[in-house]
Amino acid sequence: MTWRAPVPGALALGTLISLWSLPFVRFAPNRLLTGDGLAWWRAPLGLGHWAALLPCGLLLLAWRAQSRATRVVGLPAAALWLVALPWLAGMAARQMAPEVDGLARVSLGAGFWLSWGLMALLLGELLREAAWPVWRRVLLWVGVLLALLAELSGGALDHLSLLREYANHQDAFNLAFGQHVQLVALSVAPAALLGASLGLLAARRSRVQGALFAVLNLIQTLPSIALFGLLVAPLAWLGEHVPGLGIAGIGMAPGILALTLYSLLPMTRGTLAGLQQVPAAAVDAARGMGMGSWQILWQVELPLALPVFLTGLRITAVQAVGLAEVAALIGAGGFGAIMFQGLLGSAIDLVLLGVIPVVALAIAVDLLFKLIIAGVARHD
Amino acid sequence: MIEMTQVSKTFGGARPAVDDLSLSIAAGEFVVLIGSSGSGKSTLLRMINRLVEPDRGEILVNGVDIRRQRPEDLRRRMGYAIQSIGLFPHWTVAQNIGTVPRLLKWTKARIDARVDELLALLHLDPAEFRHRYPHQLSGGQQQRVGVARALAADPDVLLMDEPFGALDPVTRGALQEELLRIHALSGKTVVLVTHDIDEALQLGSHIVLMNQGRIVQQGRPLDLLRRPANAFVHDFVGRTEIGLRLLALDRVAGRLRPNEAAVGEPISADLSLREALSTFVARRVDRLPVVDDQGRPAGALFFSDLLERQL
Amino acid sequence: MSRVQSALALSLLALIVLTGWLPHAGPAFALLFPDRDRLIYRQDDFADLILAHLAIVGASSLLAALLGSGVALAATRRWGLAFRPLLETLLAVSQALPPVAVLAVATPLIGFGPLPALIALFLYGLLPIAQGMLAGLDSVPEGAREVARGLGMTPAQTLWQVELPLAAPVVLAGLRTSVTINIGTAALASTVGVKTLGLPIIIGLSGFNTPYVLQGAVLVGLLALTVDLAFAALSEPLGRWRAPQPSPGEPTLAGAD
Ligand SMILES: Nc1ncnc2c1ncn2[C@@H]1O[C@H](COP(=O)(O)OP(=O)(O)O)[C@@H](O)[C@H]1O
Ligand SMILES: [Mg+2]
């Protein structure tokens, strides 16, 4: 017996198993306790329990149905699941902890996260098999996202512990957001300029290449906490002895400096790779037509190197969004501050409040640059 | 030696890659499968060592159905060489050539001796090349090693899929000569795939012309040139150069007039008529003196005789 | 000795000498930080911290190497090929996840102590390893695979004698990335009290004791560098059969943590 669609089948089965065996939501009398897990069928979902038929149906489809049928039924079903599951959890939370400002907390359990994530993968897999044009795939994901945002702003999820942590920490959250974006922007921008110059230098003088990349690789090898730590002492000394700078051993400055240093390697590498893939014939032809070396650089090499350079920038920016999380340890703020606060208090919802936005930010930055790169590539 | 009866193979597409094809290959024959790209040559070849399993039909090797043998055992008894050469880049020349003997668990001494023997056979100095890695060889040297590896365990059958496709004309010519020499020396059965009609005519003792998974015509090279079965064959073997191709297949010895003589630098009786033609053109004469392989006068070749018996 | 080997020896020597000297470095630090009294981190022995750090990184990376390469291997065999796009999606999506986030989520769920750190390191370590295995197997020339089969190698022989040796340099690069990341994340696990070289840094930062921070940071940095160089030395002979590689501009799998 073989499965018609083994991958969607495995994912649907995984969804069912995680619903069956892991707590869907957790109930705690107050926010400091982890609370007791409630399985899917014990959570107060009312008719919502029947939603479990959805992965069952997908399982059957994947087992026996034609792949077209699996897609036609599976795509809307999986999308529905992604929207409905948070709504059901929000409803359960409302039943179990009706007062928004009470002590009792209802948080999302592993069963929720896993079955949601597996279904998201299933949707992705069905979309891939459907081989739709990119815009239609993006449209579907945007639709799911908008529905989730509507639930969020409509208050359907307000009783969940995660949203109540948000309500309690709204000011800190907004501050962290600003700081995080600042950390990334203020480190990636100078690193892009500096990295582009270094990449250009490496492309022109192949003798400095070895030494340059040895140093940059060394920096990249240093763990972030070590680099942050190493910068504390010299910057503190600078702050004390050159008062006008407004620099201190902890705070934004070492954070930005360390992130800039980390960003140098991917930026330099991206620039060099971009310049190296410019066809030698193009440069040769430009020289043959009488262009000077600056004209060749500006009119031929840089435009041709741009897509690869931008890819380097994309990788750098995504990396910086994640690295900035650690900068909170030296007082640079950002979402890391919320995450570490939750970690020290063992409050998972606070941790998630500091992690989920970072993941979302990384994905957003990634998509943004991919769109830009696609736009640039189209002009060629 | 190899009997294929009504074999078919269809991959994903609607059109079969090999379509109800029967072919019989005698022992010691040098068979060339030729046809345009996509005509099913490689698929047919790869069925012989079970790299591709036919959907229908049966294949016997030495009278035994190949489905009754373990594919690995079958393949170890057949040499295999391909266009991209496929030398294992992490192994030295000696290790590459010793692949199948090692799989067959020969002793190390026997393998070493065999490697040296094969390197010498293919005109590669063992002392110099044994320990080199493939990236330290030229394309032609790599392909020599590829051929040596295919010959390593002394297989009865040699399967080659466009083995010289990626080489420059000079190197290719040299390797074709080698292969003919080895074939003559060893009497192995060779099945070689090519899309180059010149290569086919030069190497093959039996040529199989394929189109769309079927055999269009098969026979000795001369048969294909002289009696093309239809317009397709005629087209494929080349309408314009057919005379030259025919001349390339015959030797001076077959056309010379033994009791005549001519003046000038004599040519060898072993020369192909095509080469003789270019000598006629170069010297602007209408007869050439001919000597045999010991250098004794053997007669004269007349320009007008070149045209005899054509078509 | 090659350049990589001598760099490795040098960095290892520096690590050992520094570990031995730091407890006696009070006077030196007094020069740098004149107005402090507690200059040297003495809660734990530095050598103990290094060993504990290596133990947690080693254990998690070993497990991750086994499972991660196993999964990637399965997704490239004929019977597992259907799952390969799923694995690639998973690997791509996880790029958005900083390793410290895995640690931060695992700790409240599993509890304090080294176990959640071990699990978090293991989970995140899987990614570069699986990626390296996929990239490594992709780098095996198709002709080599085809001929291995054509010459009569069994699937297992093809895997062990041809595919894995050819993939080895890239696979090792993935392992190297994984271990490098884990060394950094393990240091961060000290925020929840796990005994690693991150401890002096965390204690120093929370107590505004810059000398502690410096001591921890230098040792963590040296440890990461030493391990990285060890991998470089290890991978040198693996690429012996390759034509000389042109430039250092080739992208690696991931950055630091
Ligand atoms: N492994 C395969 N999977 C799918 N189609 C194949 C495969 N091998 C060959 N084919 C198809 O079969 C036909 C014959 O291919 P092949 O035997 O390689 O032709 P040739 O060697 O004469 O160029 C082609 O249309 C080719 O696309
Ligand atoms: Mg072919």
Side-chain angles (χ1 to χ4, degrees), chain B residues 46 49 51 70 72 75-76 78 80 82 84-91 99-100 103 133 135 149-150, chain C residues 141-155 157 161-162 165-166 240-244:
Chain B
R46 290 154 57 86
N49 65 358
L51 284 174
R70 209 169 71 105
E72 285 81 19
R75 290 172 196 153
R76 288 171 197 176
M78 296 181 175
Y80 187 60
I82 59 174
S84 66
I85 306 172
L87 288 188
F88 302 124
H90 61 307
W91 283 352
T99 306
V100 182
L103 292 174
Y133 284 99
H135 76 87
R149 181 175 61 182
Chain C
E142 205 38 58
R145 223 178 248 129
E146 152 102 12
V147 165
R149 223 154 69 85
L151 290 178
M153 288 195 190
T154 61
Q157 284 169 331
Q161 297 186 24
V162 178
L166 285 176
R240 207 178 31 202
W241 46 268
R242 280 203 287 197

Coordinates of all heavy atoms in Angstrom, one line a residue, chain B residues 46 49 51 70 72 75-76 78 80 82 84-91 99-100 103 133 135 149-150, chain C residues 141-155 157 161-162 165-166 240-244:
Chain B
R46 N 21.8 1.2 -21.8 CA 21.7 1.1 -20.3 C 20.8 0.0 -19.9 O 20.8 -0.4 -18.8 CB 21.2 2.4 -19.7 CG 22.3 3.5 -19.8 CD 21.7 4.9 -19.8 NE 20.9 5.1 -18.7 CZ 21.3 5.6 -17.5 NH1 22.6 5.8 -17.4 NH2 20.5 5.8 -16.5
N49 N 23.0 -3.4 -19.2 CA 23.5 -3.7 -17.8 C 22.5 -3.3 -16.7 O 22.9 -3.0 -15.6 CB 24.9 -3.0 -17.6 CG 24.8 -1.5 -17.6 OD1 23.8 -0.9 -17.8 ND2 26.0 -0.8 -17.4
L51 N 20.9 -0.7 -16.0 CA 20.8 0.7 -15.4 C 19.4 1.2 -15.7 O 18.8 2.0 -15.0 CB 21.8 1.6 -16.0 CG 23.2 1.5 -15.5 CD1 24.2 2.3 -16.2 CD2 23.3 1.7 -14.0
R70 N 21.8 -10.8 -10.3 CA 21.9 -9.6 -9.5 C 22.5 -8.4 -10.4 O 23.5 -8.7 -11.0 CB 22.8 -9.8 -8.3 CG 22.4 -9.0 -7.1 CD 23.2 -9.5 -5.9 NE 24.6 -9.2 -6.0 CZ 25.2 -8.2 -5.2 NH1 24.5 -7.5 -4.4 NH2 26.5 -8.0 -5.4
E72 N 24.2 -5.9 -9.8 CA 25.6 -5.6 -9.5 C 26.6 -6.6 -10.1 O 27.6 -6.2 -10.7 CB 25.9 -5.5 -8.0 CG 25.3 -4.2 -7.4 CD 23.8 -4.3 -7.1 OE1 23.3 -5.4 -7.0 OE2 23.2 -3.2 -6.9
R75 N 26.8 -6.1 -13.9 CA 27.5 -4.9 -14.3 C 29.0 -5.1 -14.1 O 29.8 -4.6 -14.9 CB 27.1 -3.7 -13.5 CG 25.7 -3.3 -13.9 CD 25.2 -2.2 -12.9 NE 23.7 -2.1 -13.0 CZ 22.9 -1.6 -12.1 NH1 23.4 -1.3 -10.9 NH2 21.6 -1.5 -12.3
R76 N 29.4 -5.9 -13.1 CA 30.8 -6.1 -12.8 C 31.4 -6.9 -14.0 O 32.7 -6.9 -14.1 CB 31.0 -6.7 -11.5 CG 30.8 -5.8 -10.3 CD 30.8 -6.5 -9.0 NE 30.1 -5.6 -8.0 CZ 29.9 -5.9 -6.7 NH1 30.3 -7.1 -6.3 NH2 29.3 -5.0 -5.9
M78 N 30.6 -6.4 -17.1 CA 30.6 -5.6 -18.3 C 31.3 -4.3 -18.0 O 31.1 -3.7 -17.0 CB 29.1 -5.2 -18.7 CG 28.3 -6.4 -19.0 SD 26.6 -5.9 -19.4 CE 25.9 -7.4 -19.9
Y80 N 32.0 -0.3 -18.5 CA 31.1 0.8 -18.7 C 31.9 2.1 -18.7 O 32.6 2.4 -17.8 CB 30.0 0.8 -17.6 CG 28.9 1.8 -17.9 CD1 28.1 1.8 -19.0 CD2 28.6 2.8 -16.9 CE1 27.1 2.7 -19.2 CE2 27.6 3.7 -17.1 CZ 26.8 3.6 -18.3 OH 25.8 4.5 -18.4
I82 N 31.4 6.4 -20.0 CA 30.5 7.4 -20.5 C 31.2 8.7 -20.9 O 32.4 8.9 -20.6 CB 29.4 7.8 -19.4 CG1 30.0 8.3 -18.2 CG2 28.5 6.6 -19.2 CD1 29.0 8.8 -17.1
S84 N 30.9 12.0 -19.8 CA 31.4 12.8 -18.8 C 32.5 12.1 -18.0 O 33.0 12.6 -17.0 CB 30.3 13.3 -17.9 OG 29.8 12.2 -17.2
I85 N 32.9 10.9 -18.5 CA 34.0 10.1 -18.0 C 33.7 9.6 -16.6 O 33.8 8.4 -16.4 CB 35.3 10.9 -17.9 CG1 35.6 11.5 -19.3 CG2 36.5 10.0 -17.6 CD1 36.8 12.5 -19.3
G86 N 33.3 10.5 -15.7 CA 32.9 10.0 -14.4 C 34.0 9.4 -13.6 O 33.8 8.4 -12.8
L87 N 35.2 9.8 -13.8 CA 36.3 9.4 -13.0 C 36.0 9.9 -11.6 O 35.4 11.0 -11.4 CB 37.6 10.0 -13.4 CG 38.2 9.4 -14.7 CD1 39.6 9.9 -14.9 CD2 38.2 7.9 -14.7
F88 N 36.3 9.0 -10.5 CA 36.0 9.5 -9.2 C 37.1 10.5 -8.8 O 38.3 10.1 -8.7 CB 36.0 8.3 -8.2 CG 34.9 7.2 -8.7 CD1 35.3 5.9 -8.9 CD2 33.6 7.6 -8.8 CE1 34.3 5.0 -9.3 CE2 32.6 6.7 -9.2 CZ 33.0 5.4 -9.4
P89 N 36.7 11.7 -8.6 CA 37.7 12.8 -8.4 C 38.6 12.6 -7.1 O 39.7 13.1 -7.0 CB 37.0 14.1 -8.3 CG 35.5 13.7 -8.1 CD 35.4 12.3 -8.6
H90 N 38.0 11.8 -6.1 CA 38.8 11.7 -4.9 C 39.7 10.5 -4.9 O 40.3 10.2 -3.9 CB 37.8 11.6 -3.7 CG 36.9 10.4 -3.8 ND1 36.1 10.1 -4.9 CD2 36.6 9.4 -2.9 CE1 35.4 9.1 -4.7 NE2 35.6 8.6 -3.5
W91 N 39.7 9.7 -6.0 CA 40.6 8.6 -6.1 C 41.7 8.8 -7.1 O 41.5 9.5 -8.1 CB 39.8 7.3 -6.5 CG 39.0 6.7 -5.4 CD1 39.1 7.1 -4.1 CD2 38.0 5.7 -5.5 NE1 38.2 6.3 -3.4 CE2 37.5 5.5 -4.2 CE3 37.5 5.0 -6.6 CZ2 36.5 4.5 -3.9 CZ3 36.5 4.0 -6.3 CH2 36.0 3.8 -5.0
T99 N 38.7 -0.1 -9.6 CA 37.4 -0.1 -8.9 C 36.7 -1.5 -9.0 O 36.4 -2.0 -8.0 CB 36.4 1.0 -9.6 OG1 37.1 2.2 -9.6 CG2 35.1 1.0 -8.9
V100 N 36.5 -2.0 -10.2 CA 35.8 -3.2 -10.3 C 36.6 -4.4 -9.8 O 36.1 -5.2 -9.0 CB 35.4 -3.5 -11.8 CG1 34.6 -4.8 -11.9 CG2 34.5 -2.3 -12.3
L103 N 35.9 -4.4 -6.2 CA 34.6 -4.9 -5.9 C 34.5 -6.4 -6.0 O 33.8 -7.1 -5.3 CB 33.5 -4.3 -6.9 CG 33.3 -2.8 -6.8 CD1 32.4 -2.3 -7.9 CD2 32.7 -2.5 -5.4
Y133 N 45.8 12.5 -9.4 CA 44.3 12.6 -9.2 C 43.8 13.1 -10.6 O 44.5 13.7 -11.4 CB 44.0 13.6 -8.1 CG 44.2 13.1 -6.8 CD1 45.3 13.3 -6.0 CD2 43.2 12.2 -6.2 CE1 45.5 12.8 -4.8 CE2 43.4 11.7 -4.9 CZ 44.5 12.0 -4.2 OH 44.7 11.4 -3.0
H135 N 42.0 15.5 -11.5 CA 42.2 16.9 -11.9 C 43.5 17.3 -12.4 O 43.8 18.3 -12.9 CB 41.7 17.8 -10.8 CG 42.7 18.0 -9.7 ND1 43.7 18.9 -9.7 CD2 42.9 17.3 -8.5 CE1 44.4 18.8 -8.6 NE2 43.9 17.9 -7.9
R149 N 39.6 1.8 -17.0 CA 38.8 1.3 -15.8 C 37.7 0.4 -16.3 O 37.4 -0.6 -15.7 CB 38.1 2.5 -15.1 CG 37.3 2.2 -14.0 CD 36.8 3.4 -13.2 NE 35.9 4.2 -14.1 CZ 35.4 5.4 -13.7 NH1 35.6 5.8 -12.5 NH2 34.7 6.1 -14.5
A150 N 37.1 0.7 -17.5 CA 36.1 -0.2 -18.0 C 36.6 -1.6 -18.4 O 35.9 -2.6 -18.3 CB 35.4 0.5 -19.3
Chain C
P141 N 29.4 15.0 -8.5 CA 29.1 15.0 -9.9 C 28.2 13.8 -10.3 O 28.4 12.7 -9.9 CB 30.5 14.9 -10.6 CG 31.5 14.9 -9.5 CD 30.8 14.8 -8.2
E142 N 27.2 14.1 -11.2 CA 26.3 13.1 -11.6 C 27.0 12.0 -12.3 O 26.6 10.8 -12.1 CB 25.2 13.8 -12.5 CG 23.9 13.0 -12.5 CD 23.5 12.5 -11.2 OE1 23.3 13.3 -10.2 OE2 23.3 11.3 -11.1
G143 N 28.0 12.3 -13.1 CA 28.7 11.2 -13.8 C 29.4 10.2 -12.8 O 29.4 9.0 -13.1
A144 N 29.9 10.7 -11.7 CA 30.5 9.8 -10.7 C 29.5 8.8 -10.2 O 29.7 7.6 -10.1 CB 31.1 10.6 -9.6
R145 N 28.3 9.3 -9.9 CA 27.2 8.5 -9.4 C 26.8 7.4 -10.4 O 26.6 6.2 -10.1 CB 26.0 9.3 -9.0 CG 25.4 9.0 -7.7 CD 24.2 9.9 -7.4 NE 24.5 10.8 -6.3 CZ 24.4 12.1 -6.2 NH1 24.1 12.7 -7.3 NH2 24.7 12.8 -5.2
E146 N 26.6 7.9 -11.6 CA 26.2 7.0 -12.7 C 27.2 5.9 -13.0 O 26.8 4.8 -13.1 CB 26.0 7.9 -14.0 CG 26.2 7.2 -15.3 CD 24.9 6.9 -16.0 OE1 23.9 7.4 -15.5 OE2 24.9 6.1 -16.9
V147 N 28.5 6.3 -13.0 CA 29.5 5.3 -13.3 C 29.6 4.3 -12.1 O 29.8 3.1 -12.3 CB 30.8 5.9 -13.6 CG1 31.9 4.9 -13.5 CG2 30.8 6.6 -15.0
A148 N 29.4 4.8 -10.9 CA 29.5 3.9 -9.8 C 28.5 2.8 -9.9 O 28.8 1.6 -9.7 CB 29.3 4.7 -8.5
R149 N 27.3 3.2 -10.3 CA 26.2 2.2 -10.5 C 26.6 1.3 -11.7 O 26.5 0.1 -11.6 CB 24.9 2.9 -10.8 CG 23.7 2.3 -10.0 CD 22.7 3.4 -9.8 NE 22.0 3.8 -11.1 CZ 21.0 3.2 -11.6 NH1 20.5 2.1 -11.0 NH2 20.4 3.6 -12.7
G150 N 27.0 1.9 -12.8 CA 27.3 1.2 -14.0 C 28.4 0.2 -13.8 O 28.5 -0.8 -14.6
L151 N 29.4 0.5 -12.9 CA 30.5 -0.5 -12.7 C 30.1 -1.6 -11.8 O 30.9 -2.5 -11.5 CB 31.7 0.3 -12.2 CG 32.4 1.2 -13.2 CD1 33.6 1.9 -12.5 CD2 32.9 0.5 -14.4
G152 N 28.9 -1.5 -11.2 CA 28.5 -2.6 -10.3 C 28.6 -2.3 -8.8 O 28.7 -3.3 -8.1
M153 N 28.6 -1.1 -8.4 CA 28.6 -0.8 -7.0 C 27.1 -0.9 -6.5 O 26.2 -0.5 -7.1 CB 29.1 0.6 -6.6 CG 30.6 0.7 -6.8 SD 31.1 2.2 -6.0 CE 32.8 2.3 -6.6
T154 N 27.0 -1.5 -5.3 CA 25.6 -1.5 -4.7 C 25.3 -0.1 -4.2 O 26.2 0.7 -4.0 CB 25.6 -2.5 -3.5 OG1 26.5 -2.0 -2.5 CG2 26.0 -3.9 -3.9
P155 N 24.0 0.2 -3.9 CA 23.7 1.5 -3.4 C 24.6 1.9 -2.1 O 25.0 3.0 -2.0 CB 22.2 1.4 -3.0 CG 21.7 0.4 -4.0 CD 22.8 -0.6 -4.2
Q157 N 27.6 0.7 -1.3 CA 28.9 0.9 -1.8 C 29.1 2.3 -2.4 O 30.0 3.0 -2.2 CB 29.4 -0.1 -2.7 CG 29.7 -1.5 -2.0 CD 29.9 -2.6 -3.0 OE1 29.4 -2.6 -4.1 NE2 30.7 -3.6 -2.6
Q161 N 31.6 4.7 -0.6 CA 32.9 4.9 -1.4 C 32.9 6.1 -2.3 O 34.0 6.6 -2.6 CB 33.1 3.6 -2.2 CG 33.3 2.4 -1.3 CD 33.7 1.2 -2.1 OE1 34.3 1.3 -3.2 NE2 33.4 0.0 -1.6
V162 N 31.8 6.6 -2.7 CA 31.8 7.7 -3.7 C 31.1 8.9 -3.1 O 31.7 10.0 -3.0 CB 31.1 7.2 -5.0 CG1 31.1 8.4 -6.0 CG2 31.9 6.1 -5.6
P165 N 32.5 10.4 0.6 CA 33.8 11.0 0.5 C 33.8 12.3 -0.3 O 34.5 13.2 0.0 CB 34.7 9.9 -0.2 CG 34.0 8.6 0.1 CD 32.5 8.9 0.2
L166 N 33.1 12.3 -1.4 CA 33.0 13.5 -2.2 C 32.3 14.6 -1.5 O 32.6 15.8 -1.7 CB 32.4 13.2 -3.6 CG 33.3 12.4 -4.5 CD1 32.5 12.0 -5.8 CD2 34.5 13.2 -4.9
R240 N 42.3 17.3 -0.6 CA 43.5 17.0 -1.3 C 43.3 16.7 -2.8 O 44.1 17.1 -3.6 CB 44.1 15.8 -0.7 CG 45.5 15.6 -0.7 CD 45.9 14.3 0.0 NE 44.7 13.4 -0.1 CZ 44.4 12.4 0.7 NH1 45.2 12.1 1.7 NH2 43.4 11.6 0.5
W241 N 42.2 16.1 -3.1 CA 42.0 15.6 -4.5 C 41.4 16.7 -5.3 O 41.1 16.5 -6.5 CB 41.0 14.4 -4.5 CG 39.9 14.5 -3.6 CD1 39.8 14.2 -2.3 CD2 38.6 15.2 -3.9 NE1 38.6 14.5 -1.7 CE2 37.8 15.1 -2.7 CE3 38.1 15.7 -5.0 CZ2 36.6 15.6 -2.7 CZ3 36.8 16.2 -5.0 CH2 36.1 16.2 -3.8
R242 N 41.1 17.8 -4.7 CA 40.4 18.9 -5.5 C 41.4 19.8 -6.2 O 42.5 20.0 -5.7 CB 39.5 19.7 -4.6 CG 38.2 19.1 -4.3 CD 37.2 20.1 -3.9 NE 37.4 20.6 -2.6 CZ 36.5 21.3 -1.9 NH1 35.3 21.5 -2.4 NH2 36.7 21.7 -0.7
A243 N 41.0 20.3 -7.4 CA 41.8 21.3 -8.0 C 41.8 22.5 -7.0 O 40.9 22.7 -6.3 CB 41.2 21.7 -9.3
P244 N 42.9 23.3 -7.0 CA 43.0 24.4 -6.1 C 41.8 25.4 -6.2 O 41.4 25.7 -7.3 CB 44.3 25.2 -6.6 CG 45.0 24.2 -7.3 CD 44.1 23.2 -7.9

